[in-house]
Structures are given as structure tokens and as C-alpha cells.
Amino acid sequence: MASKKKKSVKKSSMLQNRDLWIYGLIILFGFTLYSNTINHGFVLDDPIITTENKFVNEGFSGLKDIFSHGYLYGFNRLEGLTYRPLVLASLAIETAIWGSNPSVHHFFNLFFFVLTGLLLFLFTSRLFPNESVWLPMGITLLFLAHPIHTEVVANIKSRDEILSFLFGITSLLFLFKYTDENKIKNLMLSLLFFFFSLISKETGLAFIGVIPLSLYFFRSISLKKIVKISSPFLGFIILYFLIRYLILDEYSSVEDMDKINNSLMALSGIELWATKIMILGKYLVLLLFPHPLSYDYSFNQIPAVGMGDWKFILALIAYISLFAYAIYGLIKKKPLAYGIIFFLSLLFLVSNLFVIIGATMAERFVYASSFGFTFALGYALYKYLDRKIFYYVLGTILLLYSFKTISRNSDWESPYTLYKSGLITAPNSARAANHFGTYHRQEAEKSTNTTSRSNNYQEAIKHYQKALVIYPQYREAEYNQGVCYNAIGKKELARACYERVLEYDPNDLNTLNNMGVYYFEKKNYEKGIEFWKRVIAINNQDILVLGNLAAAYFNLGEHEKSIEYQLRILQIEPYNKKALGLMIRSYKALGNHEKALEFQERLK
């Protein structure tokens, strides 16, 4: 008995050592692929969940507000349509400990991504307990290396994708531990991580279909039992929507759904459906051959197509073939079909097929669903190739993927590198041109060198004009062009830009304010007041515009009116220095030196 026991311990030790080597390889591989992102800065929309998010900047003290408000409330004071507290909570904790440091946030993006790789290996090992370790290893390494994931890992804002998928896979892992070991604690953990997936991003909802699907394919249990095991997850979906209902105000905030973000908004009928299918075909192409990759696919980078376009026809044939094999494989319980159905299930929510979402297309949208692709690819290579050929082909694919991933990461280093890459990978995108123009405008605004300022403003105008050629009604580009013209002294060109913006949107607050400034500078104070009153009618808390109104009335000699607006500022900010200074001047102009002295004391 002693001899057998010793042998068993030795075998267990060997297994553990083997597992440690595998885990070490996965960790090393993941960090090697993305280590060059750690020193990157904030890019694209990163600031709205980091430096410009009030609750994240508050660190630990902001956690309560993070869990009791919508995703972007700490940025724009709107509850919005999304609830993703775990993403903001992770960033707030990092900020509390290390400060608002982009390198820290990038490191943890990579950490969570590599952790996902480890969990994928454990999960796929559960699916294939009797196969060589190289099957789950191949699937895992293909997922880690795939270049289409660079947007998610290198972009801090895409942590929602990472966490939602991470928790979804963890939920599946504990679900299989439950079915294999029959320990209720594993089911409880599976439910908990499923809920974590939901409150990281809404795409976690797709796992409600993946859960019974996975049990059906990889465990010999009855459909009745599968339904019984899966039903508690529906309860957590109900809880999730109840929380959303109580916290979010779906009527007070409307997502920006114009065609500049999603070009499908400009289409209808047959053309709309043909373009939707064609875009789904582009996802397949990028999964099979991930080049070129782009951070932007908005209007008009992907032109509309009709039913006779070859891109639509090939995409339709491809998806019909996938569906046909998926149905056949579902009946026969073919693992290859599992990968296809996993891919289709998670792609469905972001496909624009039945619900138009906030973007035409994005590489981050296929982050989770790409596991279905790498699962099918890894399984097909392992199952249908000779073992030596399998190692050779797998190694070649991983080498090519790795080279592309590492090189692609450099595009996400800074706003300049990212927006410059867009000029090459998205030459027909109005938004990409606007982004690069805005980069140069902001550089001009920061510069103290006259020549540098002028050159950057001119470069910005060039890119804004390109954006307007692509999309003439692009309000943001038109407004930004006006700001640049104003800065270089071309006031009439600036006014013309602002007037065009107001033709598209009569209530654009920034443009209304700038029109007021234009007339103020021309000493046409009455006209300036007209524009500023339109702003205040929409937002009566705008301190800048209240101050402009106060200054205009002061210059008109209407000091009582000026004081009225100054008092409104002081109700919001009691020690606003500009308002207090103008109050002193106004009361002196009225001969009320006692009141002027009172505000002089407050100014001290």
C-alpha cells in the first residue's frame, strides 16, 4: 500500500510540473506579444473612463458611485444606456493605488488578457480530457496570438470586452467543474462569474446560449438536465435587467446613432441588408487573414453594396455554409460545429442584423466570438493533420500572427501614431480624417511657438476639409474647422463654418457660444446675447456662457442685467473670481460702493 501511495504522489507531482510549464508558456507567450503596449499612453476614448471620469479619479471613494450609476455618468453626468461597473471599479482601484498612470492600466489590460488565456486552456482541457495537451494548447495560443485582438488589449477603454469574456469563460469552467464533480459551490461560482460578465459588458448575455450548447456538445447528460442546470442563469439575467431598470434612465439619454458612426443608418431596404451581410463577411476575412487592421470603419470606409455585388454574394454563401454545417454538426455533436455556433452566437449581438448599434464595424466586436474561430481552427488542424504537420502548420500560423500583433501594437502607442495609421488603413473614413485634424488642432493649442501653431492649424484644416469631402454634413469636422480658422484670424471663414453647423443642428451649444463670441468681438453685443440666450435656454448651468452674457450687458451699460447673470454664476460657484471681479466693477459703475466693497471682501 505504501508503495502504491508513493507512486501516485509521484505521478501527481509530474502532472503538476507539466501544468506549471504549460501555464508558464502561456504567460510568457501572452506577455511577449503585448509587452510593448505597457508604456503606451491614453488614446482614442481612453480618457472618458480614466482621466476625465470623476468616479475613477476618486479611487476607492468613487466605488459607491460607480456601482450606483451608469457607465459614463462620471464623465458626462448622464446615466446613459450602459451599466459596466466592474470595468470602472478596476480602473478606480488602480488609480487609488498608483495614480492615473496609463502604463498601470495597460499592464492590467494585458494581465487580464493573459489570465483569459490560462482560463481558456483550463476550459478547453475540460472539454477534451482524453486528448493530447496540444489540442487545448493550440486553441489557446491561436486565441492569444490572433492580431484582431490588438484593439482590445492595447486600448484601455476596451477592458469591458476583456473582462466580460474573461468572466464568461470562468463561468463555463466552473459549470463544467460542477457537472464533473457535482459540488454545488461550483454552480454558485459559475452563476456569480456569469453575473460579473453581464456587469462588465452587455455582450455577456450571449453566454446564456453558450452554456447549454457547451453542455450538450461535451457532456453526456439529458436535455432535461441541461435545461435544469441552465435555468438559474436566467434568474441572474432578470436581476441584471432589474438593476439596469432601477439605475439607468433609458429615456434621458440617446446614443449617438448618426451615420458618421454607423454608415448603415443611411441605408434602407435591400441595400441595407446586403451591406450588413457583406460586413459580416469582412469579419470572416479578417479572422482568416488579419490584414490590414484599422481602428476605424465608420462612414464611408465601407461603401454600401447591392445584392449583385460579389462581396455580398461570397459573404452570403460563406454564412449559409457555416449555418448548414452548424446544424449538421449540432445533430452529430461535432466539436467543429461547436466552434462555429460559438462564433455565430457571440457575433449575433454586435452584428447590426436586427438592432443597429453604435458602430458600422469594429475589431473589438469579434473579440469574444473569435474564440469560436480559433477553437474551430485549432481543432481542425489537430484532428485532420498528421501530428508533425500539425506542429509545423500551427507554429507557422502562430509566428505570422505574432509578427502582425507585435507590429500592430505600435499603432496604438499614442494619438499621433493611431490617427496617422488611420490615414493608411481607413483613407475613406471621415471620422479618421477628423481625428487626425483634431490631433493637429490640439497640438497647435498647446504650442507656444508661432510657426508651429500656424503649421498645425493649417494641417488640421486640411484634414477637416478631407473629412467634409467624404461627408459634407459632418458637424464635428465643420465646427473644428471653424475653431481653427478663428485661431488663425480668419474670422469670416470661421463664422461661415459655424453657420453651416447650425443649419444641421440649430441647438449645437458650442457653436452657438462661438457665434456669440464672434459678434461680441465685433462689438455687436445684442447679436451675441441672442446666441448666448439660446444656449442658456438649453443649459442654464453653463458658467462660461453666463459670464459672456454678463460681460455683454456690462459693455452695453446695462449693469443691473449684468449683475443678474453674475449672481447666477455665484450661485453655482460662490467664489468664481471672474464673476466677483465683474460684480465689483458693476456696482462701482452704479455708484453702489458699499456693495462693491462687500464683493471685494469675498474676492480676498
Side-chain angles (χ1 to χ4, degrees), residues 31 103 139 188 201 205 210 275 279 297 428-429 525 531:
F31 271 92
S103 292
I139 293 169
M188 295 297 102
K201 192 173 184 182
L205 289 166
V210 171
T275 305
I279 290 170
Y297 294 91
N428 299 315
S429 166
Y525 304 120
F531 283 100

Side-chain angles (χ1 to χ4, degrees), residues 525-535 549:
Y525 304 120
E526 293 88 349
K527 191 70 173 176
I529 288 169
E530 285 181 25
F531 283 100
W532 288 328
K533 282 190 172 181
R534 286 167 65 182
V535 176
L549 281 164

